[in-house]
Amino acid sequence: MVLRCAWGTCNVDERYPERLENGVKLILFPKPKTNLEKCLRWIKACGRPHDQLNVQRINKHKAVCSKHFVGGNGPTVQFPDPILADGSVLRPTRPPLKRTYSENHTVRVIKKENSK
Ligand SMILES: [Zn+2]
C-alpha cells in the first residue's frame, strides 16, 4: 500500500512523485482511535462521498497533501485541519473567547413587597 491523498479531487499518490509539487508532503490522517474528532473533521474537509471516505476507511495509508492546508505547508497550530474541499472558508481555531459584557447587566431585583 502507498500513501494517497484523500482530499477533494486530488490524486497525489506516493507512486507518482512527479505529481507532488515542490516540497509537498503527504500528511497522515489523525487516527480515529486516538483522535476521532479531528479525524472526522479531516474527513469532512476532504469532501468525498461517505462510501469513499469514512472512519472505517481511515488507515495508515490515508493522507492529505501539505498543500491542502492554510499556508500550503501542512497543519499549523492555528489551522490544524485541511482546507475544506468544497471551498468553504476555514476559520482559525482559537481559544474560546471570554465573554465580556460592555454593558452593565446587573439584574435589578425588584422586591415585591406585599404591601397591605
Ligand atoms: Zn492532495
Side-chain angles (χ1 to χ4, degrees):
M1 287 287 281
V2 291
L3 288 179
R4 189 178 287 179
C5 179
W7 189 90
T9 54
C10 185
N11 59 356
V12 162
D13 187 314
E14 259 190 340
R15 284 172 301 182
Y16 305 98
E18 70 272 13
R19 288 186 194 163
L20 283 169
E21 289 162 31
N22 275 344
V24 171
K25 293 166 287 186
L26 282 162
I27 292 147
L28 284 175
F29 258 77
K31 291 185 182 70
K33 269 187 186 170
T34 54
N35 208 341
L36 181 63
E37 209 176 294
K38 191 177 180 187
C39 184
L40 290 170
R41 286 204 309 268
W42 283 42
I43 290 171
K44 190 165 177 276
C46 287
R48 296 249 172 140
H50 182 77
D51 57 335
Q52 275 183 33
L53 188 66
N54 54 61
V55 174
Q56 280 75 41
R57 288 192 167 241
I58 299 301
N59 54 36
K60 58 182 192 288
H61 306 288
K62 282 278 186 295
V64 173
C65 306
S66 54
K67 66 177 178 180
H68 305 308
F69 290 81
V70 176
N73 230 339
T76 59
V77 175
Q78 215 179 9
F79 295 99
D81 306 327
I83 297 163
L84 299 175
D86 65 4
S88 306
V89 176
L90 201 65
R91 289 186 193 167
T93 54
R94 51 177 111 156
L97 291 172
K98 274 186 186 168
R99 288 183 183 274
T100 50
Y101 289 100
S102 51
E103 295 167 62
N104 190 356
H105 279 268
T106 309
V107 178
R108 288 181 197 191
V109 181
I110 300 164
K111 281 186 181 174
K112 280 188 178 174
E113 290 175 28
N114 288 331
S115 57
K116 187 192 144 188

